[in-house]
Amino acid sequence: MNAIANLNLAQALPGAVRKLDPRELVRAPVLLVVEIGAVATTVLSVADPSTMGWIVTVWLWLTVLFGTLAESVAEGRGKAQAASLRALQQETVAHKVHGSFDQLRYTGNLAELPVDEVPSTALRAGDVVVVAAGDRIPGDGDVIEGVASVDESAVTGESAPVIRESGGDRSAVTGGTVVLSDRIVVRITSDPGRSFVDRMIALVEGSERQRTPNELALNVLLSSLTAIFVVVVGSLYFVADYSDAHQSLIVLTALLVCLIPTTIGALLSAIGIAGMDRLVRRNVLAMSGRAVEAAGDVDVLLLDKTGTITHGNRQAAELLPLTGVAQDELAQASLLSSLADETPEGRSIVALVDGFETGAERLPQPPGELVPFSATTRMSGIDTGNVSIRKGADSAVAKWVHSTGGHATDELDAIVERIGASGGTPLVVAERRGLQPARVLGVVHLKDIVKDGIRERFDEMRAMGIRTVMITGDNPRTAAAIAREAGVDDFLAEATPEDKMALIRREQEGGRMVAMCGDGTNDAPALAQADVGVAMNTGTTAAKEAGNMVDLDSDPTKLIDVVEIGKQLLITRGALTTFSVANDVAKYFAILPAMFVVAFPDLGVLNVMRLSSPESAIVSAVVFNALIIIALIPLSLRGVRYRPSSAAALLRRNLLIYGVGGLVAPFVGIKLLDLVISLIPGL
């Protein structure tokens, strides 16, 4: 997504004023108490005007306004991003296929599809449209026929076009993107108003942001502290009256506002919104703030191998027939058994055989019943007459061969082991004629290429305390070779969707937070089960629906950034909470001595700042209490910088910088304000 310029504060101010509505402030009890105090001091100042009363009143209103301004600025940045996304929602003319596309495909009449021109807003889930070069894709969907180059820069910010094709894990397209070449047929998967871009707009604007469990818990704590201080300050009125140190309601209100945790109360919502905003700026869409928080606590990362750790998809490189099997025979069997395999690997086998100068021919009509590839069986094939052919993972095909009374040979084991040891993936091809035991014909060698720099990124994760686990449907030897090359800590081979779910549940039962990256339909259950499920934007619609984050760049190593942002969110919230509490302690030394020093001169020893007068001390504390919120808004939006280190080191740094800083800053700030405010006549 394109970078958004820093939002002008003037643009956020109207939103901040609207948030002064008490119905809005109910979600921020601390600010609601301050507003009630501001209303009370306004009434008191009108009834009995005084310089101190009006100054306190003005700065109490500014305190509330600065608090709502922090949230308004954070939301405004999201709205600015949403404005660029709305450009994708232009109504376009869609070429909707007239009649049943599946029936047309069955009859083979795809060259000239009958279409009706309809507005894109009239499309519904299940409709099929044809999109040619230069056309804007009218809605979210899956490519069901064809392959094309698509410009997704309006969504991802990347100028390089991407390839979208039917079948496999690169079939999903986003409404509003533009086809640059060729022609594709797309089945629409969302109704109007429910598209991916609609969801992005709602999320980045903050209209669908729900408060996270940690945020809710902290809100409860802040509300409890506020209630306690309301009782304490109310009691002080009677204590002061009993001690002949009578205090006005304006002074007590000022004391209450300075005692309650106004700083973190004002910035809490902005911190959460800014965390999601930082993810969006890295082209990651978080479906909830809870997912961002969970990312900060992740200690186990599961990654799908194909398309995640390795480049693209495995490609068929060679056919290796067993002794006594002709190359043509293996090629013909590989071709027929791959006709129902819509995965990129299956297509690469068809392409490889088509390029051979053998007797293997691609028949215009498959002579039998096709057996589609399944993630559960991990095989595809064909049953024609009395001949059955299967192609798939070596363990799956071996099981099928054994079930017919056949058996694998040492030669097959040697080929499979050699391919696996080299980091490749063997697909075994077998054939059964009549009631005879099935026999293995040979092996198709698929090659994987590990992405550049992936090992270094995994080293970074290890330094952050994250254990990486590669998940693949390949055999253990292949998985081990890729795992060594990529530098992951562990791997799960021959994984079915059920295996992935079981692994995630085992890790979660052990008290660990699990993140999962995936892009395929078979990854959807695991993405839904994981604490943080990051779906690749190039993946299927099912994967994106299941995950609680979508990486628009489809870069699996982006999870490092996601984890860092999650940790940064937690650290920022903790740091500013520490600063706020320490900040309040310092203000006690400004106001409490000022209130009671006349009645109890011995309290003058607590006036360590040597403030000019009780009135100046109270006003200085109120002004500082408001200004510190404005001063911390940039930090709450930017976040405290995260450096990989132990929890103890992070806590120590937090206490030294924000704990000590929260104590020192008010002493310096209030003293400087006192020097200025003491010059005001009437104080």
Side-chain angles (χ1 to χ4, degrees):
M1 185 170 298
N2 297 326
I4 305 298
N6 290 332
L7 187 73
N8 191 318
L9 289 179
Q11 295 175 288
L13 194 56
V17 173
R18 285 193 296 271
K19 289 180 181 293
L20 294 178
D21 186 337
R23 291 170 297 183
E24 290 279 341
L25 289 180
V26 167
R27 298 182 304 153
V30 177
L31 290 183
L32 181 60
V33 170
V34 178
E35 185 174 56
I36 293 172
V39 171
T41 57
T42 301
V43 174
L44 293 171
S45 296
V46 170
D48 184 15
S50 67
T51 301
M52 186 183 115
W54 280 116
I55 292 177
V56 169
T57 297
V58 169
W59 281 97
L60 287 184
W61 279 113
L62 287 176
T63 300
V64 185
L65 183 63
F66 292 162
T68 58
L69 183 64
E71 183 173 0
S72 183
V73 169
E75 289 181 352
R77 292 167 67 176
K79 290 176 181 177
Q81 292 171 333
S84 66
L85 290 172
R86 283 198 171 90
L88 295 174
Q89 296 187 305
Q90 303 172 8
E91 182 171 310
T92 60
V93 175
H95 297 91
K96 178 182 174 183
V97 174
H98 181 73
S100 171
F101 175 77
D102 293 330
Q103 181 66 32
L104 292 170
R105 178 158 53 183
Y106 178 76
T107 59
N109 185 19
L110 297 179
E112 295 294 336
L113 290 171
V115 297
D116 298 324
E117 291 190 353
V118 299
S120 57
T121 53
L123 295 175
R124 296 293 183 270
D127 289 344
V128 176
V129 296
V130 178
V131 190
D135 291 346
R136 185 183 293 270
I137 296 174
D140 292 354
D142 291 321
V143 179
I144 57 177
E145 185 70 30
V147 57
S149 176
V150 179
D151 177 10
E152 295 187 343
S153 59
V155 175
T156 66
E158 297 295 330
S159 58
V162 296
I163 300 299
R164 291 291 178 263
E165 58 185 340
S166 61
D169 296 335
R170 296 181 182 273
S171 61
V173 291
T174 303
T177 56
V178 179
V179 173
L180 298 179
S181 67
D182 302 294
R183 186 191 79 152
I184 52 176
V185 180
V186 177
R187 177 171 280 119
I188 301 299
T189 56
S190 63
D191 291 326
R194 303 286 298 173
S195 70
F196 186 62
V197 172
D198 288 317
R199 293 167 61 196
M200 287 180 68
I201 291 172
L203 287 162
V204 299
E205 282 186 330
S207 59
E208 288 190 8
R209 193 186 84 88
Q210 297 180 343
R211 295 176 183 269
T212 65
N214 285 347
E215 194 173 344
L216 289 171
L218 189 53
N219 248 324
V220 171
L221 174 62
L222 297 181
S223 300
S224 301
L225 289 175
T226 300
I228 291 171
F229 282 121
V230 167
V231 173
V232 170
V233 172
S235 302
L236 275 179
Y237 176 82
F238 300 100
V239 172
D241 189 60
Y242 178 80
S243 305
D244 292 326
H246 306 287
Q247 303 296 329
S248 69
L249 291 178
I250 289 179
V251 171
L252 290 172
T253 302
L255 172 64
L256 173 63
V257 171
C258 289
L259 290 182
I260 62 178
T262 52
T263 305
I264 186 61
L267 298 174
L268 183 60
S269 182
I271 294 170
I273 294 173
M276 295 183 69
D277 175 72
R278 285 193 292 275
L279 272 182
V280 172
R281 288 170 183 271
R282 286 171 172 79
N283 277 356
V284 177
L285 177 63
M287 302 303 179
S288 69
R290 182 173 187 172
V292 185
E293 275 190 358
D297 292 326
V298 163
D299 42 25
V300 178
L301 168 60
L302 310 182
L303 301 108
D304 187 46
K305 185 204 72 174
T306 304
T308 304
I309 293 175
T310 60
H311 272 296
N313 301 290
R314 298 166 295 180
Q315 298 295 311
E318 59 179 333
L319 300 179
L320 302 172
L322 296 186
T323 302
V325 178
Q327 182 85 2
D328 288 1
E329 184 181 5
L330 175 59
Q332 183 73 62
S334 301
L335 174 63
L336 291 173
S337 60
S338 299
L339 292 178
D341 186 354
E342 288 297 324
T343 66
E345 291 86 351
R347 291 179 177 176
S348 73
I349 295 173
V350 174
L352 177 67
V353 174
D354 282 346
F356 279 177
E357 300 220 354
T358 69
E361 297 179 0
R362 185 169 183 179
L363 302 176
Q365 181 67 33
E369 181 181 352
L370 297 177
V371 179
F373 174 81
S374 163
T376 302
T377 63
R378 294 182 293 130
M379 291 190 304
S380 65
I382 188 171
D383 294 326
T384 172
N386 65 345
V387 178
S388 296
I389 304 174
R390 294 292 183 271
K391 176 221 68 196
D394 62 314
S395 59
V397 175
K399 183 177 180 181
W400 179 74
V401 170
H402 290 155
S403 69
T404 67
H407 62 277
T409 64
D410 293 339
E411 182 184 6
L412 173 65
D413 294 339
I415 294 175
V416 168
E417 185 173 353
R418 175 167 57 82
I419 294 175
S422 68
T425 301
L427 291 182
V428 177
V429 181
E431 175 189 77
R432 185 187 189 189
R433 293 183 177 275
L435 299 178
Q436 297 179 6
R439 67 186 183 108
V440 177
L441 301 178
V443 180
V444 180
H445 182 187
L446 300 180
K447 286 188 175 180
D448 285 294
I449 301 175
V450 174
K451 292 184 176 180
D452 294 335
I454 196 81
R455 174 178 282 275
E456 290 73 17
R457 300 306 296 271
F458 287 150
D459 289 341
E460 290 180 41
M461 289 186 181
R462 198 170 294 109
M464 295 164 64
I466 300 174
R467 185 168 66 92
T468 54
V469 181
M470 180 185 77
I471 299 179
T472 176
D474 294 335
N475 63 73
R477 290 182 294 274
T478 300
I482 297 295
R484 284 193 302 271
E485 185 178 353
V488 296
D489 298 311
D490 201 356
F491 65 88
L492 176 66
E494 297 181 341
T496 63
E498 293 77 14
D499 294 332
K500 298 176 187 179
M501 289 281 289
L503 175 60
I504 292 174
R505 285 173 177 154
R506 283 199 303 271
E507 297 287 354
Q508 290 172 332
E509 288 169 0
R512 287 174 283 274
M513 297 287 284
V514 180
M516 165 81 183
C517 279
D519 56 3
T521 300
N522 63 326
D523 295 323
L527 288 170
Q529 177 68 32
D531 299 291
V532 179
V534 182
M536 302 294 103
N537 190 44
T538 56
T540 61
T541 300
K544 290 193 286 186
E545 291 289 341
N548 50 27
M549 290 187 186
V550 177
D551 177 15
L552 302 181
D553 294 331
S554 300
D555 176 9
T557 62
K558 185 79 68 64
L559 193 69
I560 293 178
D561 296 328
V562 173
V563 171
E564 287 180 349
I565 290 171
K567 290 184 180 295
Q568 187 182 35
L569 171 65
L570 298 178
I571 291 170
T572 301
R573 189 179 293 155
L576 292 184
T577 301
T578 303
F579 184 93
S580 180
V581 173
N583 184 59
D584 292 339
V585 171
K587 284 180 286 188
Y588 304 162
F589 287 89
I591 294 186
L592 289 177
M595 290 176 60
F596 295 100
V597 71
V598 175
F600 303 101
D602 290 343
L603 288 178
V605 70
L606 296 179
N607 185 18
V608 294
M609 288 181 270
R610 297 294 182 259
L611 302 178
S612 303
S613 67
E615 292 80 7
S616 176
I618 291 169
V619 172
S620 298
V622 170
V623 173
F624 177 84
N625 191 63
L627 292 179
I628 198 65
I629 295 174
I630 283 289
L632 291 175
I633 286 179
L635 180 61
S636 68
L637 298 180
R638 185 180 66 252
V640 176
R641 184 178 177 184
Y642 169 71
R643 298 183 183 88
S645 56
S646 65
L650 288 174
L651 178 61
R652 185 166 55 250
R653 174 171 169 262
N654 190 30
L655 292 175
L656 286 176
I657 296 178
Y658 297 97
V660 175
L663 286 172
V664 173
F667 281 95
V668 176
I670 291 174
K671 179 60 179 178
L672 292 176
L673 288 169
D674 175 72
L675 295 175
V676 176
I677 291 172
S678 62
L679 301 176
I680 299 176
L683 287 178

